[in-house]
Amino acid sequence: MEALGHLLSGFAAALSWYYLLYAFVGCVLGTLIGVLPGLGPAAGTAILIPLTFSLDPTGAIIMLSAIYYGAMYGGTITSVLINVPGEAASVVTCIDGHQMARQGRAGSALGIAAIGSFVGGTLATVALVVVAMPLATLALKFGPAEFFALMVAGLCLVVGLAGKNILAALLMTVIGLLLALIGLDPVRGAPRFTFGIEELFDGIGFVPVVMGLFGVAELLLAAETRQTHMIQAELKSWMPTRQECKDSVGAIGRGTVVGFVLGLIPGVGAIVPTFMAYVLEKRVSKTPERFGKGAIEGVASAETANNAYANASMVPLLALGIPSSPTIAVLMGAFIINGITPGPFLFAEQPKLVWTVIASFFVGNVLLLILNLPLVGLWAKLLKIPFSYMCAGVLIFCVIGAYGLKQNLFDVWVMLGFGIIGYLLRKLDFPIAPAILALILGPMMEKSLRTTLEISGGSFAIFLDRPVALALLAIPVIVVGFLVFKPRSLAPLRESDAE
């Protein structure tokens, strides 16, 4: 009941005209990002962070969150119409969605995707309301030792699932932690790893780094190959038939469960629940031979799991302060930029903010449904923009955003430099997510570890005296051991397939 009271007060704030406007703008921009192939939620959210600098913290988080789940739906449009996923999580939608478009059923595919996304996102948000606060209350009992162990475990889970080469993932984690050490020592106040560069005394900027590694690098990769032709598919109807809706009910329900459960696990990535939901639906179907030939259940299950995952992935962030994917890591960086530290204390210290943001998830899902059913034709026309123009426009926006953060040209060079580094790392199949997550979690891990050692007088034995911390530290050992000794056939997905 307490959570319900907080949620109602959150709705009172989220339904104010200015927060509604922020959610609306975020949904439009997110859908646009999803429609334009090559960007994706992580890159798009990172690129658009500068738009929120002038907003209050609550408005900034509402807009960026709307961009995130808007982008998760937007990729559906390109998957159905031109068989090119706007973002990786929409790959599964191509299997049956594009076949439906070739059969003149593009409207039904896009309609059921919008309905499934709405249902999955809404039910996942309801579960978020139920789960997040008890989980945060439990985490409040954690001390610095438990927090350090929790962040190590969360980072290790992401490392283990972010790349097919565990050594490469661990190397990127170490690089991210080293980048987090740049700046002034939090205890002695002395510069470290700054090499006499004054701009680095405040540490390396998160926004330029993430805009470079995700935004610029993605543009460079997307510029190499580009498919721009559209099929001649008529959108005869914007809504699926009554029979198609009936056939999709079970798929939407199962997709919601799969997406929500996997969204709670850090590092799974959006493509995993969509694949699992699709495979599950094919196995329970009485006519599995229809899948791959235009089965509407395949579209419904994948798209529902996609958006259920997006909302569920906010639970570890809000309740524990652990980003579960690269996009959530970008959102966590936005929280920190606005002076907000995600985690269990967030519910106690800033309940109005967190419940307004959660209420905005419900509002955003409704806005997406209203936006995407009648406006699919408009989004489809955007695909005719020459890719060179789009690429140049996004790059200009990145430069303006990096410069506008501190009005410092140094940040622009940092962004461009990390863009080239990110491009090379992707070409060499090195995962980017571990480095980004380590860069964000590094300062908090250092603070928790130092506090723990101050309490114990410098003895690491304190972790052996705390059962919860010891259990959490056992998770990385188990995960790394499993990944090192498991068969090659079970190698995890590449990072480009994990977000």
Side-chain angles (χ1 to χ4, degrees), residues 11 75 133 144 160 174 218 227 401 405 448 455 471:
F11 269 113
M133 198 167 181
V174 172
E218 287 288 350
Q227 178 183 355
L405 182 62
S448 298
I455 294 173

Side-chain angles (χ1 to χ4, degrees), residues 227-452:
Q227 178 183 355
T228 56
H229 65 278
M230 292 185 63
I231 66 169
Q232 299 300 319
E234 295 183 7
L235 302 177
K236 298 178 181 179
S237 172
W238 296 112
M239 291 294 293
T241 64
R242 180 175 297 181
Q243 183 60 44
E244 287 174 329
C245 289
K246 183 179 178 181
D247 293 339
S248 302
V249 170
I252 290 174
R254 287 181 286 269
T256 299
V257 174
V258 172
F260 181 79
V261 172
L262 293 180
L264 299 176
I265 304 173
V268 167
I271 196 172
V272 178
T274 57
F275 262 115
M276 291 190 66
Y278 183 84
V279 171
L280 174 63
E281 204 56 37
K282 186 175 181 179
R283 288 186 177 180
V284 302
S285 175
K286 296 180 180 179
T287 54
E289 65 277 3
R290 295 188 303 109
F291 284 75
K293 300 178 182 179
I296 196 168
E297 300 97 311
V299 177
S301 61
E303 286 301 314
T304 303
N306 184 8
N307 275 52
Y309 163 85
N311 285 268
S313 62
M314 298 296 289
V315 175
L317 175 66
L318 296 175
L320 302 175
I322 296 178
S324 56
S325 71
T327 311
I328 298 298
V330 174
L331 282 175
M332 184 174 182
F335 270 88
I336 295 172
I337 289 171
N338 284 279
I340 306 165
T341 302
F345 292 103
L346 186 62
F347 286 84
E349 295 175 354
Q350 301 195 53
K352 183 177 180 180
L353 180 146
V354 69
W355 286 107
T356 301
V357 170
I358 291 174
S360 76
F361 295 165
F362 289 99
V363 176
N365 277 293
V366 174
L367 289 175
L368 276 177
L369 184 66
I370 296 172
L371 276 173
N372 288 312
L373 283 178
L375 295 182
V376 171
L378 173 63
W379 298 123
K381 290 180 180 179
L382 293 174
L383 298 171
K384 298 180 180 180
I385 297 176
F387 181 73
S388 57
Y389 294 169
M390 183 191 74
C391 189
V394 172
L395 183 60
I396 291 173
F397 189 88
C398 287
V399 172
I400 294 174
Y403 180 79
L405 182 62
K406 297 179 181 177
Q407 287 78 49
N408 191 338
L409 193 60
F410 180 80
D411 287 336
V412 177
W413 292 114
V414 169
M415 181 198 69
L416 295 176
F418 274 95
I420 296 173
I421 292 172
Y423 169 78
L424 295 175
L425 289 173
R426 297 288 181 87
K427 297 292 288 184
L428 296 173
D429 207 19
F430 275 77
I432 303 296
I436 292 294
L437 298 177
L439 176 62
I440 294 172
L441 295 179
M444 293 181 283
M445 291 174 63
E446 180 184 10
K447 181 180 178 180
S448 298
L449 179 60
R450 285 196 172 194
T451 304
T452 302

Side-chain angles (χ1 to χ4, degrees), residues 112-123:
I112 203 65
I115 295 170
S117 297
F118 170 74
V119 174
T122 301
L123 293 181

